[in-house]
Amino acid sequence: MAPAITLAADKLSVANTGFMLICSALVLIMTPGLAFFYGGMVRVKSTLNMLMMSFISMGIVTILWVLYGFSMAFGTDHGSLIGWESDFFGWTGIDKGDIWSGYTIPVFAFAVFQMMFAIITPALISGAIADRVKFSAWSLFVVLWATVVYFPVAHWVWGTGGWAFELGVIDFAGGTAVHINAGAAALGVILVIGKRVGFKKDPMRPHSLPLVMLGAGLLWFGWFGFNAGSWLGNDDGVGSLMFVNTQIATAAAMLGWLLYEKIRHGAFTTLGAASGAVAGLVAITPSGGAVTPIGAICVGVIAGVVCAMAVGLKYKFGYDDSLDVVGVHMVGGVIGSLLIGFFASGKGQSDVEGLFYGGGLDQFWKQCAGVFAVLAYSLIASAILAFLLDKTIGMRVSEDEEISGIDQAEHAETAYDFSGAGGGAAKAAVAAPAAAAASKKVDA
């Protein structure tokens, strides 16, 4: 069945349309926020590369989405696996007056809102492979991954006729399609390309925690559009519930992470606060429309503690997840998605009730099906794509370039210019020639 498009202009809601356009802009600002978040977490010599790995997704995925991505995700269903609609190819068959089926917003408003989701999802992967991947190889990976993985998975989860959608898997705004998808992809890629030079030997601390906090703040801010906007402006209170639960779960996760960190490591760190907030945002993304505010607290606390524990697994198992994409996004997405099976109240986006509300485990098993199917598909497909690229054009920069700095090697720039600084090494460099000249005069 083709996705119906309503032509009656009297069904268009100006308020809902404006709301969706604002939400689209909020979701877009999350990608620069992610760039700052990741950029502050790496060493100085990789800052610009980390920023660019997010920014390039804004260019590449935008064009792919217009050409064929929207059609693959939300076009006519084919076998419950992929969509396609010729009118959506290049958006040539969409008129400005067309309204998205069942809603009161233009097709363009829906399409551009979903575009922003498609943009940030591959950008999330980049944090796992920081410091060591060629920018050209990364750019090509984004093209292939969006086409082979993200667009089909978006159809499974949100597209009419998609198998997960039809099964009844709940994913309000992207726990499976975005976070598990990106986190599993990150794991697949790093298993192929290997560890950074000096992993578990050299200190690889964040170079700018203020940038990390700025990025986390922008993500938190933009996430309200990401989550609340996913109800597409319907006036039944579910979007408001999602907005409220987003704030609550994020706060709870941040506190949970910090408490675990204090008990485990003896300090409340800014990196922990930022990471805990993101873990809460990830976990509430699939579940926020189905749980109560008390449920959101539970989801947040559980996600904060479990994700804080999960980020250390890379040292135990030896995979180099540079910026904890697996530990936060994959694990957080799994937690948020599966907890729907326990905390769904039946009073939110649907009448589905979880185990704690008398609904049994039926929804939990549906969530398991969606979670582990997306995880397995993304991990395997992403590893294959990375392997093919590595064996053809090569995924990694040389060891010398990695050690000296990927910013200079790949972008011919550095994030910070200290040549005009008034102290430290710069001051010593200026003072040394002056002292030598003065010494010559005395000798003379």
Side-chain angles (χ1 to χ4, degrees), residues 182-338:
L187 181 58
V189 175
I190 58 182
L191 291 177
V192 170
I193 67 171
K195 308 173 183 66
R196 288 169 290 180
V197 175
F199 176 64
K200 293 203 291 189
K201 297 178 182 178
D202 300 337
M204 297 180 179
R205 293 184 292 269
H207 89 279
S208 177
L209 288 169
L211 274 186
V212 174
M213 296 298 281
L214 172 64
L218 286 172
L219 285 169
W220 195 332
F221 174 69
W223 222 293
F224 290 112
F226 193 88
N227 280 357
S230 291
W231 201 237
L232 304 184
N234 275 10
D235 300 321
D236 57 5
V238 175
S240 297
L241 173 67
M242 186 55 164
F243 192 107
V244 167
N245 283 344
T246 298
Q247 176 65 20
I248 292 170
T250 307
M254 179 177 67
L255 297 177
W257 187 300
L258 288 173
L259 180 61
Y260 172 83
E261 194 174 54
K262 177 64 174 177
I263 294 171
R264 181 71 175 82
H265 303 292
F268 303 111
T269 69
T270 52
L271 181 60
S275 298
V278 173
L281 290 165
V282 169
I284 202 62
T285 291
S287 59
V291 304
T292 66
I294 293 296
I297 293 176
C298 296
V299 170
V301 170
I302 294 169
V305 173
V306 175
C307 289
M309 297 169 63
V311 297
L313 294 177
K314 62 185 179 182
Y315 299 111
K316 181 178 181 180
F317 294 108
Y319 61 89
D320 186 7
D321 176 16
S322 304
L323 307 183
D324 303 322
V325 179
V326 176
V328 173
H329 291 277
M330 190 183 83
V331 174
V334 169
I335 290 169
S337 297
L338 295 185

Side-chain angles (χ1 to χ4, degrees), residues 329-415:
H329 291 277
M330 190 183 83
V331 174
V334 169
I335 290 169
S337 297
L338 295 185
L339 287 180
I340 294 171
F342 296 93
F343 289 103
S345 68
K347 299 177 181 178
Q349 68 186 87
S350 70
D351 59 1
V352 171
E353 295 178 337
L355 179 64
F356 297 156
Y357 288 82
L361 289 171
D362 182 60
Q363 189 60 38
F364 175 75
W365 297 122
K366 292 179 180 179
Q367 296 303 120
C368 285
V371 163
F372 293 110
V374 170
L375 193 158
Y377 176 71
S378 183
L379 190 154
I380 294 169
S382 303
I384 292 172
L385 292 175
F387 178 81
L388 293 175
L389 288 174
D390 194 44
K391 295 303 180 183
T392 51
I393 64 173
M395 284 286 284
R396 295 189 63 147
V397 297
S398 69
E399 184 173 327
D400 288 343
E401 290 173 332
E402 183 179 335
I403 293 171
S404 62
I406 197 170
D407 283 358
Q408 190 65 51
E410 290 291 298
H411 306 290
E413 298 172 307
T414 56

Side-chain angles (χ1 to χ4, degrees), residues 76-96:
T76 304
D77 176 66
H78 294 278
S80 299
L81 296 175
I82 197 67
W84 187 259
E85 185 68 35
S86 58
D87 285 348
F88 293 168
F89 179 77
W91 297 4
T92 54
I94 302 175
D95 185 84
K96 67 181 186 298

Side-chain angles (χ1 to χ4, degrees), residues 150-165:
Y150 181 78
F151 300 157
V153 170
H155 181 75
W156 298 355
V157 176
W158 295 317
T160 302
W163 71 264
F165 181 85

